[in-house]
Amino acid sequence: MNTEIFTLSHTIAQRIIGKSNQLNQQYRSVESNISGEISSFREKKAALVSQKGHAVARKKSLKIVGFFYKTLEDEILGYFSANGHQAKIFENIEDLKKHNEQYDIFFTVSNFVSSQEFLSQVIEYTINYGGNGISCIWLWDHHHVIGGSLSMATYFDIVFPIHETAADYLKVTNSHVMNSIPAATYQFGPTYDTERFYRTAGGAARSDGLYGGFREYPNMDRNTIIKECMEKIPGNSLYFCNPNNQNDQYYSLQTAEDRFLHWMRHKVSLSVSINTDIPIRIFDALCSGQIPLVCSNLNGFDHIISPEDQIALPIIRFPHYDVQEIRRAYETALEYFDRDGAEGAYRRHTYAIRHHMMLKRVARMVTTIRLHFR
């Protein structure tokens, strides 16, 4: 460490450590008070959930219900049927409410119950048809939607965070917060459709322009770096999505195949996290054969894609959010893409198909429950 780096480090330490210690003490005090107030209720709930979980884990054949993406229904049903289970998927809340059979495992994701109305109706469904079953919520926005995620975590038996970032606070209200189940590709439909889309257009020409579509969340630091990249990286194809996806250049595309082909028109894409989380778009990029640019500060990224695989695919890392670092990574990625060509793109596609499709995550959810309670 040279003198300049030490001086900068010391300045940061002086300005933040005292304040952060104070904030940490305040947070721990609040957490302790809240946890103390509800600990007896939380532990009683945990015991009841464990009792149900042990009974479910002993069953050879499970009845599984998902409030989930209908486009993935056939693939999910086929997988569970081949493994001796029954499964049903509902994407419409009214259809779910009409399903009047008891379940062993019910699962959904947070964006399906983000409104209080839908959350209340799903909770009612779990009361009516899940007396002896396990209800699961897979939280997707717990790293930046704190209150809503905490509320959802409270009302379900089992909680699966999607990120390693900002998950421990969920344990204040629920003792059964599992290890994170990471994001996966789903917007292009089931695995076999995605493979077919790739075969159809695998040899299509691709643009050199750096690709990426982002939501412009209010008061988020990432907006600044994305705008800088738009301004300072020549020929880029970066953009912010229109609010509510209205007349958006991407979300106005009519089919999953159209959206997949949109990704396949580019060689390299940028990933910018909200809070050191691992975005879904990394897996979408790999699935379409792109080389993703990924910041090195993502929590748990090496647990999901090993450093060896990152080198082989490749995935190009940049050390921090700086436009010059991102531009350097982008230029490196273009060199690798052009060097490896169609063979490299197909390598990334098949890697994503084998390891990072949504079916893998749903299967892991059920396996984790059985392992946890066996």
Side-chain angles (χ1 to χ4, degrees), residues 106-166:
F106 170 82
F107 71 92
T108 189
V109 294
S110 53
N111 56 329
F112 272 63
V113 291
S114 57
S115 72
Q116 187 60 49
E117 177 186 2
F118 276 25
L119 178 59
S120 297
Q121 291 182 71
V122 167
I123 291 168
E124 183 180 1
Y125 170 81
T126 64
I127 293 170
N128 292 336
Y129 301 109
N132 295 313
I134 294 292
S135 64
C136 311
I137 181 75
W138 189 14
L139 295 176
W140 284 13
D141 295 312
H142 60 89
H143 57 304
H144 70 108
V145 181
I146 308 300
S149 298
L150 197 59
S151 176
M152 293 178 206
T154 305
Y155 283 103
F156 287 84
D157 296 330
I158 302 290
V159 179
F160 290 99
I162 199 171
H163 306 296
E164 291 189 15
T165 293

Side-chain angles (χ1 to χ4, degrees), residues 46-59 62 104 132-134 157-158 176 369-370 372-374:
L48 292 172
V49 170
S50 294
Q51 184 178 350
K52 292 194 302 178
H54 292 312
V56 168
R58 286 194 294 267
K59 292 187 176 183
L62 298 173
D104 295 312
N132 295 313
I134 294 292
D157 296 330
I158 302 290
H176 291 291
I369 291 169
R370 303 194 84 178
H372 184 65
F373 291 113
R374 69 177 180 177

Side-chain angles (χ1 to χ4, degrees), residues 4 52 85 149 151 162 170 190 202 247 252 259 294 302 313 319:
E4 184 179 9
K52 292 194 302 178
H85 308 304
S149 298
S151 176
I162 199 171
L170 300 168
N247 300 315
S252 61
R259 293 191 293 273
V294 177
D302 291 350
L313 289 167

Side-chain angles (χ1 to χ4, degrees), residues 166-182:
D168 281 351
Y169 73 90
L170 300 168
K171 298 173 184 177
V172 171
T173 62
N174 194 319
S175 295
H176 291 291
V177 178
M178 303 290 102
N179 289 336
S180 63
I181 291 183

